Amino acid sequence: MTQEISIRKLSGTLGAEITGVALNNLSNEAFDTICNAFADHAVLVFKNQTLTHEDQIAFARRFGDLEVHPIVNGMDEHPEMIRMLKPAGESASFGVGWHTDNSFFEKPSLGSIVYSHIVPPEGGDTLFANQYVAYEHLSAGMKRLLDGLNAVHSAKYAYTSQSAEEKYAGKTAITYRRSESVYDEVTHPVVRTHPVTGKKALYVNPMFTIRFEDMSEEESKPLLNYLFEHCVRPEFGCRVNWDPNMVTMWDNRCVQHYAVDDYQAHERLLYRVTVNGDKPV
Ligand code: SIN
């Protein structure tokens, strides 16, 4: 017997939980429903899923080709999958800070699909912020100014910090490999138009956006800092509290996220794959 698919919003502005689907056995019709819900809600949660790594990869491939991260090591047997382990007794350091995944790529990630294995008894939530709504809430004058601007994105600060050095040294649960691409600079519009919904979204984030095009970092800082705060106002967002065996997927073209580091004593293990995206326009 097939269960009816239902969609329940997670907050007033962002996200939805979908019930009545098994992601390891999805009809084309159910997949279309998920695609429509992804366009409408940008963050989707699916509880009580039973996925092997191969199932998770196969589900993600329905959205496009998968990325192999140039710096963060994937799993030996699945290079496109990152094993996001935070051991008990350590602070979390991966994804802690507002960002959109891989905005420093020429073609940043379309979306990320994460499956949870071990979650802390409390804490370890992921926060999300809707960047369409962030754009809509700007004044007409600010929209005009930003509509004509480009910003430079780079991983050079995010992946060269002291905690990153430990990951390059292989001393941590998540490890990095050295790549010159850390220092690459790519330019994207500050306001991007979503290729599916046609809506405008702010596209700057504090982890990877380092300055406006043709401006110094110092000159860019005041306006960027204003935007970084504005982008993640609580009214624009939702909060996902993980259960084991849960999938959360998000649209990096119109959402920022933040992994909350509030569960030091406990272990957390999630698996992430990211889907290739387009050059933002
Ligand atoms: C990330 O993909 O940035 C991390 C998300 C999380 O650990 O909650």
Side-chain angles (χ1 to χ4, degrees):
M1 197 176 74
T2 53
Q3 218 186 320
E4 197 161 316
I5 299 180
S6 76
I7 299 175
R8 185 185 62 87
K9 289 179 74 172
L10 296 180
S11 80
T13 43
L14 184 63
E17 180 182 344
I18 303 204
T19 50
V21 292
L23 298 181
N24 61 357
N25 181 22
L26 207 56
S27 66
N28 288 337
E29 199 186 346
F31 181 68
D32 288 346
T33 304
I34 289 172
C35 287
N36 290 334
F38 195 47
D40 290 343
H41 302 287
V43 175
L44 298 181
V45 167
F46 306 87
K47 291 187 176 166
N48 301 316
Q49 300 296 317
T50 309
L51 296 185
T52 62
H53 296 326
E54 291 76 15
D55 290 334
Q56 183 181 351
I57 287 169
F59 172 63
R61 283 214 175 110
R62 293 179 82 155
F63 295 89
D65 292 335
L66 304 189
E67 295 164 344
V68 175
H69 201 283
I71 301 159
V72 184
N73 285 320
M75 295 166 66
D76 288 344
E77 59 285 24
H78 297 295
E80 66 278 70
M81 180 173 274
I82 296 174
R83 185 171 182 265
M84 299 197 295
L85 171 66
K86 201 292 289 177
E90 294 184 10
S91 295
S93 64
F94 191 74
V96 180
W98 284 105
H99 64 289
T100 55
D101 288 324
N102 304 328
S103 73
F104 59 94
F105 289 179
E106 193 66 35
K107 294 180 174 180
S109 312
L110 178 157
S112 305
I113 299 176
V114 174
Y115 182 52
S116 56
H117 279 221
I118 300 167
V119 301
E122 62 274 319
D125 294 355
T126 309
L127 312 182
F128 294 92
N130 184 327
Q131 301 306 289
Y132 296 135
V133 181
Y135 176 74
E136 282 159 21
H137 276 73
L138 294 169
S139 64
M142 181 60 89
K143 282 181 185 157
R144 260 196 311 279
L145 171 69
L146 298 181
D147 276 334
L149 286 182
N150 291 316
V152 176
H153 297 239
S154 168
K156 72 178 174 191
Y157 297 124
Y159 286 96
T160 57
S161 64
Q162 203 177 336
S163 78
E165 283 308 318
E166 294 187 350
K167 295 192 177 82
Y168 288 114
K171 293 181 185 160
T172 46
I174 298 178
T175 58
Y176 291 174
R177 62 185 171 282
R178 300 214 181 258
S179 159
E180 279 308 302
S181 66
V182 162
Y183 301 102
D184 286 352
E185 295 194 346
V186 302
T187 301
H188 299 310
V190 170
V191 179
R192 69 179 294 183
T193 302
H194 194 286
V196 176
T197 65
K199 292 200 288 186
K200 287 183 172 182
L202 267 178
Y203 196 66
V204 290
N205 69 84
M207 201 176 276
F208 300 125
T209 312
I210 58 171
R211 60 185 172 81
F212 294 110
E213 186 180 39
D214 300 329
M215 290 189 208
S216 68
E217 290 184 24
E218 204 167 23
E219 288 167 332
S220 307
K221 217 174 250 174
L223 181 53
L224 274 182
N225 282 344
Y226 166 75
L227 292 174
F228 293 156
E229 274 188 32
H230 169 81
C231 278
V232 298
R233 277 171 46 184
E235 314 83 65
F236 304 162
C238 68
R239 182 174 189 125
V240 168
N241 174 244
W242 293 86
D243 288 335
N245 305 318
M246 183 169 129
V247 170
T248 302
M249 61 184 286
W250 58 87
D251 189 331
N252 285 298
R253 299 165 296 186
C254 57
V255 170
Q256 289 197 42
H257 61 283
Y258 184 121
V260 180
D261 177 23
D262 63 349
Y263 57 104
Q264 231 226 356
H266 303 288
E267 189 180 16
R268 180 176 183 260
L269 174 61
L270 293 81
Y271 291 87
R272 186 182 93 175
V273 290
T274 50
V275 180
N276 272 333
D278 299 322
K279 175 88 186 135
V281 288

